[in-house]
Amino acid sequence: MTRRYRKIDEDSRLQRQKIEYNTQSADMMRPRHLSSIFLYLLLFSSIFSLVLTSCGADQAMKKGDKFYAVGEYFDAATQYRKAYTQTSNKEKALKGQRAMKVADCYRRIHFTSKAITAYQNAIRYKQDDSLTHFYLGQLHMRNGNYKEAAKQFQMAIDSLQSTADDRHFLLAKNGLKAAQQAPLWRKDGSAYTIKRMDLFNSRRAEFSPMLSGDQNEQLYFTSTRNQAQGDEYSGITGSKNADIFFSQKDDKGRWSKPQTIDSELNSAMDEGACCFSPDGRSMYLTVCKTDPSYPRYATIAVSSRSDASWSKPTELTISKDTLSSFAHPAVSPDGEWLYFVSDMPGGVGGYDIWRCRLTNNKELGSPENLGEPINTPGDEMFPTFRPNGDLYFSSDGHPGFGGLDIFVADSLKIEHLGFPMNSQGDDFGMTFEGRLNTGYFCSNRGDTRGYDHLYSFYNPEIVQTVKGWVYEQDGYELTAAQVYMVGNDGTNLKLSVRGDGSFTQQIKPHVDYVLLATCKGFLNHQEQLRVEPVTESEEYVLQFPLANISAPVLIDNIFYDFDKATLRPESTAALDELVRLLNENPNITIELSAHTDYKGSDAYNERLSQRRAESVVNYLIEHGIATDRLTPKGYGEGKPKTIKRKVAEKYSFLKEGDVLTESFITALPEEQQEQCNQLNRRTEFIVLRTTYGLFDKAGRLIQTPQPKESSKDSDEPQSSELW
């Protein structure tokens, strides 16, 4: 028993030991087994994640490529950056290539700092190409880091010398010159003073200001602010599509808060960068249509003003080329040319400034490239005109501070406007307030997001101008009038008038000018001007009252002795003006009529008025006017005055169309009766013929002598016969 139990006890011990051993073995084996499974699972999940990441990066690249293909660089940059962050650092070439994609998009939407970082990543992964350092040079210029920009441009020049890329090689050389000279240019400065216009600006972008109105009392500009139409955000910029807004100046010169335009001018698409015809009745603007599956090409459209409202824009067909952009319109001061920006074939660089002729029915002639020296291998954009005819534009091809700088083209000379008008950012879109060198422009200087904002500018240069008013004699402004201006310096201009009948033109000292105002249905009127040098800006003001051919014309300030036909001395000025009018219009004959009030007998009034008419005619004959051009006629009280609108505005008790008959006058209070009698006592003339001296007795047209051509070296003023 004892052995047996002992045996049993031993066997039990051995069994227990075996169990314990197996248990220990199992305990020892379990961690090893689980670790293997974990490592396997970890490896599997890593591989799976890499596959998913790779797929995610590839998907992002595909989306980015789609956005890039239609020009939506903001959305493309978002996808490319996502793909870049999901690409393993071990895949250096691929990561560098994706960094280049990111950099290209950020460069295009002016996210300067982000673009620099992305290009540096591409260089770090050794995926830079011959243009990488060129673009880095441009970006460092935008940041005002001219030393680093010069370094990058030099590297670009060294690498581009071995390629056939002449365009970027020339731009790199210009960039190197600008980077070396910019600190000195900035130190030299200029006469310009600028001020940020916070009243017009928002937290988004504002650009391309344009003044309008007879007194420049309206400011139109483009903005992507939240009040713009549409709910979607642009894939190009990440902001809303742009609309045109405007601000109104009150009588005290204060601008209103910018307002939306309540018409069909704006839409959910991009509208902006507008300009106006000289008469202010047509607006030319840039429109960019939205198409998610097709590249966005800008077009130019025209809108017409009816009263105070702008019509829905109608697209202009500048060319049958549907793969090029047409943008940034500008109309020349004479209204004959439409200037614009395009990347169409046949240009000098990227975007060039072109022009085409405008006809009366708003049709366009063939496009002409302005060529050198205005256009460069770079981009020339945002043309605009100062009223004196100088062309201003922005360029990144001419040496400047960085980005787009503003230049002025004077004859064949291109001049940089200097600091602070220009900066290391984009500066463009000038508009001028009258003839003085003052107005507004836009710049993205100092904005880390690259948003443009509006600024005012002022240059205290001496400017001499002439302002004229063309209106119907004894009436209102003539908006259809034309003014011809000739100077003995070779000036020969045709000027249109604004909606208030006025025109303004810059003039030069030591020059003699002759200005002739004309309008269909009216006689011409001529003024002469001698311009002397001055020490501060000055404006000459001239009046051009035009006599109506088909209606009686009042001759103001003709006075006679009481109850006589004798002309008083104070009548001389008005009579001499009438002599000049007849000399300026040698082909007219007139009836010179005198009128009296109703006091006295009809026969007496007729005799008195006849003698008075003859007194005026005799004065004209004595001063060289042919007798057969003049017919004196006394009407007495037989033709009472008919009140015109302008006279009715002066006398509150009268209205347009009233006829000052005796019965009408005697029904008025005594004071008003005397005022009406004064209006009836008048001297007038009416045009009888406009063909005097043009035909012989047989009715054949007389050949008038041709104007003598003056020598090019002659200092004599050109004759008005040139018109």
Side-chain angles (χ1 to χ4, degrees):
M1 286 267 316
T2 302
R3 276 192 225 113
R4 187 171 51 129
Y5 283 109
R6 189 178 293 119
K7 177 69 173 167
I8 294 174
D9 291 342
E10 186 176 349
D11 291 341
S12 299
R13 186 172 64 252
L14 291 173
Q15 185 68 24
R16 187 168 59 250
Q17 290 176 347
K18 184 177 180 181
I19 292 172
E20 289 174 356
Y21 174 79
N22 289 336
T23 302
Q24 292 173 1
S25 298
D27 289 340
M28 293 174 67
M29 290 296 294
R30 185 178 294 115
R32 295 173 186 169
H33 178 67
L34 289 177
S35 178
S36 298
I37 294 174
F38 179 75
L39 289 172
Y40 174 76
L41 290 174
L42 183 62
L43 179 62
F44 177 78
S45 63
S46 298
I47 294 172
F48 186 70
S49 297
L50 287 172
V51 172
L52 287 179
T53 301
S54 177
C55 291
D58 290 342
Q59 284 295 108
M61 288 299 296
K62 289 181 180 179
K63 289 182 179 179
D65 289 341
K66 288 183 179 179
F67 287 132
Y68 188 94
V70 293
E72 297 183 345
Y73 302 115
F74 180 86
D75 288 347
T78 302
Q79 296 298 323
Y80 288 148
R81 182 171 175 80
K82 179 180 178 182
Y84 172 80
T85 56
Q86 292 179 350
T87 304
S88 171
N89 291 340
K90 295 180 180 179
E91 298 182 85
K92 295 183 178 180
L94 185 60
K95 199 168 181 77
Q97 292 166 9
R98 290 174 176 175
M100 285 287 284
K101 292 274 192 177
V102 175
D104 184 45
C105 290
Y106 281 148
R107 175 181 62 83
R108 291 175 180 271
I109 58 177
H110 305 310
F111 283 21
T112 303
S113 297
K114 290 184 177 182
I116 290 174
T117 300
Y119 275 122
Q120 289 173 340
N121 287 335
I123 293 173
R124 180 157 60 98
Y125 289 111
K126 299 181 179 179
Q127 292 301 308
D128 52 310
D129 56 24
S130 58
L131 292 180
T132 301
H133 297 286
F134 168 74
Y135 290 135
L136 271 173
Q138 289 187 324
L139 292 166
H140 283 300
M141 290 287 288
R142 286 180 175 273
N143 271 357
N145 189 351
Y146 298 122
K147 185 176 181 180
E148 183 62 28
K151 175 183 174 183
Q152 295 295 332
F153 280 130
Q154 186 60 63
M155 294 174 68
I157 291 171
D158 294 339
S159 62
L160 288 168
Q161 280 181 337
S162 60
T163 70
D165 190 351
D166 291 337
R167 174 173 178 263
H168 288 97
F169 179 74
L170 293 173
L171 289 174
K173 290 181 68 175
N174 277 347
L176 178 60
K177 176 184 176 182
Q180 293 169 340
Q181 296 295 319
L184 298 176
W185 295 337
R186 186 182 180 93
K187 184 178 179 181
D188 291 340
S190 70
Y192 283 97
T193 300
I194 68 166
K195 178 184 177 182
R196 179 168 165 140
M197 300 300 293
D198 290 332
L199 173 65
F200 302 139
N201 296 322
S202 69
R203 299 179 63 185
R204 295 293 181 177
E206 290 80 30
F207 56 96
S208 294
M210 187 57 60
L211 286 162
S212 181
D214 295 332
Q215 304 300 322
N216 295 306
E217 72 278 7
Q218 293 181 335
L219 180 71
Y220 290 77
F221 62 90
T222 309
S223 179
T224 60
R225 61 185 62 199
N226 293 333
Q227 290 77 18
Q229 294 188 25
D231 298 323
E232 296 183 358
Y233 282 76
S234 169
I236 301 175
T237 62
S239 303
K240 295 189 74 172
N241 287 331
D243 274 355
I244 299 175
F245 293 78
F246 83 100
S247 178
Q248 181 80 32
K249 185 188 289 186
D250 63 19
D251 295 337
K252 297 182 180 179
R254 296 175 299 194
W255 289 104
S256 68
K257 184 178 179 181
Q259 309 168 44
T260 57
I261 298 177
D262 297 328
S263 71
E264 293 183 287
L265 180 69
N266 291 314
S267 69
M269 298 184 294
D270 263 315
E271 291 92 13
C274 67
C275 72
F276 300 93
S277 59
D279 60 10
R281 297 171 186 170
S282 297
M283 175 195 292
Y284 296 87
L285 64 152
T286 306
V287 178
C288 191
K289 298 179 181 178
T290 302
D291 189 335
S293 61
Y294 197 76
R296 299 186 181 188
Y297 295 105
T299 60
I300 293 175
V302 61
S303 171
S304 299
R305 188 181 66 183
S306 176
D307 295 327
S309 180
W310 291 101
S311 67
K312 183 178 181 180
T314 302
E315 184 177 333
L316 291 177
T317 302
I318 296 176
S319 169
K320 295 182 179 179
D321 179 2
T322 59
L323 299 179
S324 299
S325 290
F326 303 91
H328 309 166
V331 180
S332 60
D334 59 9
E336 293 189 1
W337 294 92
L338 176 68
Y339 287 68
F340 60 93
V341 170
S342 179
D343 58 351
M344 72 171 78
V348 177
Y351 285 93
D352 278 5
I353 299 176
W354 300 67
R355 72 174 187 173
C356 52
R357 187 175 290 277
L358 283 169
T359 62
N360 292 333
N361 54 4
K362 296 182 181 178
E363 293 183 356
L364 302 176
S366 300
E368 302 175 7
N369 190 283
L370 296 195
E372 298 175 340
I374 291 177
N375 290 321
T376 70
D379 291 331
E380 279 67 47
M381 312 172 84
F382 298 98
T384 188
F385 283 94
R386 188 172 170 181
N388 66 0
D390 289 344
L391 173 65
Y392 288 74
F393 63 96
S394 291
S395 171
D396 63 6
H398 293 281
F401 287 125
L404 291 172
D405 274 18
I406 302 175
F407 297 82
V408 57
D410 182 9
S411 300
L412 296 177
K413 182 180 67 175
I414 307 298
E415 181 181 350
H416 186 262
L417 298 195
F419 179 83
M421 195 69 194
N422 286 313
S423 68
Q424 70 268 20
D426 286 329
D427 307 290
F428 59 98
M430 295 181 74
T431 184
F432 292 86
E433 190 168 2
R435 295 284 162 170
L436 297 179
N437 199 348
T438 182
Y440 302 92
F441 76 110
C442 55
S443 175
N444 65 0
R445 63 186 69 187
D447 193 297
T448 57
R449 301 162 300 177
Y451 289 154
D452 305 300
H453 299 292
L454 301 190
Y455 292 77
S456 66
F457 70 88
Y458 170 66
N459 187 323
E461 66 183 24
I462 297 175
V463 178
Q464 292 178 272
T465 59
V466 58
K467 185 169 187 176
W469 303 85
V470 186
Y471 54 93
E472 180 182 0
Q473 194 165 326
D474 194 31
Y476 286 87
E477 62 274 358
L478 296 172
T479 58
Q482 295 279 351
V483 178
Y484 296 87
M485 180 174 176
V486 169
N488 61 355
D489 65 337
T491 300
N492 198 332
L493 302 174
K494 182 175 74 172
L495 310 175
S496 298
V497 300
R498 293 187 284 265
D500 61 350
S502 70
F503 67 90
T504 306
Q505 178 62 37
Q506 188 167 337
I507 51 181
K508 301 175 184 178
H510 304 295
V511 177
D512 294 328
Y513 293 97
V514 178
L515 296 96
L516 181 74
T518 67
C519 188
K520 186 177 181 180
F522 294 84
L523 300 181
N524 298 337
H525 183 90
Q526 180 177 293
E527 291 287 342
Q528 297 183 12
L529 181 64
R530 168 70 178 177
V531 184
E532 300 293 344
V534 294
T535 56
E536 58 184 22
S537 295
E538 183 180 18
E539 184 171 73
Y540 297 86
V541 178
L542 300 176
Q543 303 288 335
F544 294 85
L546 303 190
N548 195 318
I549 291 178
S550 58
V553 178
L554 176 68
I555 308 173
D556 276 327
N557 301 318
I558 299 292
F559 305 101
Y560 307 91
D561 288 337
F562 177 72
D563 207 25
K564 295 181 180 179
T566 307
L567 288 165
R568 296 183 61 82
E570 53 264 41
S571 304
T572 302
L575 292 170
D576 289 343
E577 188 66 28
L578 182 56
V579 170
R580 190 175 78 156
L581 174 69
L582 291 168
N583 285 328
E584 290 173 359
N585 298 270
N587 301 120
I588 68 168
T589 63
I590 64 170
E591 176 190 271
L592 198 293
S593 60
H595 305 262
T596 66
D597 56 31
Y598 65 83
K599 297 176 182 180
S601 67
D602 291 349
Y604 174 81
N605 285 335
E606 285 185 13
R607 288 195 301 272
L608 177 62
S609 61
Q610 181 66 29
R611 294 200 314 271
R612 287 179 171 179
E614 290 171 354
S615 294
V616 174
V617 167
N618 290 335
Y619 184 94
L620 299 178
I621 293 172
E622 290 171 2
H623 287 77
I625 305 301
T627 304
D628 57 349
R629 295 180 62 193
L630 307 169
T631 302
K633 178 65 177 177
Y635 286 97
E637 60 181 283
K639 286 192 174 183
K641 186 176 181 65
T642 300
I643 299 300
K644 292 185 177 181
R645 181 161 57 98
K646 190 173 182 180
V647 177
E649 290 177 356
K650 183 177 179 181
Y651 299 93
S652 59
F653 64 93
L654 297 175
K655 64 180 184 294
E656 184 179 7
D658 284 345
V659 181
L660 303 185
T661 62
E662 181 177 355
S663 60
F664 179 90
I665 295 174
T666 55
L668 298 173
E670 185 175 346
E671 181 181 352
Q672 295 176 359
Q673 287 185 30
E674 180 54 29
Q675 290 175 331
C676 290
N677 285 329
Q678 289 178 359
L679 291 174
N680 269 334
R681 295 192 294 266
R682 67 198 190 276
T683 303
E684 296 176 334
F685 74 85
I686 187 170
V687 176
L688 300 177
R689 292 170 52 205
T690 60
T691 58
Y692 176 81
L694 295 181
F695 299 92
D696 60 19
K697 293 181 179 180
R700 294 187 295 261
L701 180 66
I702 299 174
Q703 297 296 322
T704 57
Q706 296 297 316
K708 182 180 178 181
E709 295 185 4
S710 60
S711 170
K712 294 182 179 179
D713 299 328
S714 174
D715 291 332
E716 296 183 2
Q718 297 183 46
S719 167
S720 61
E721 289 179 330
L722 288 174
W723 296 313

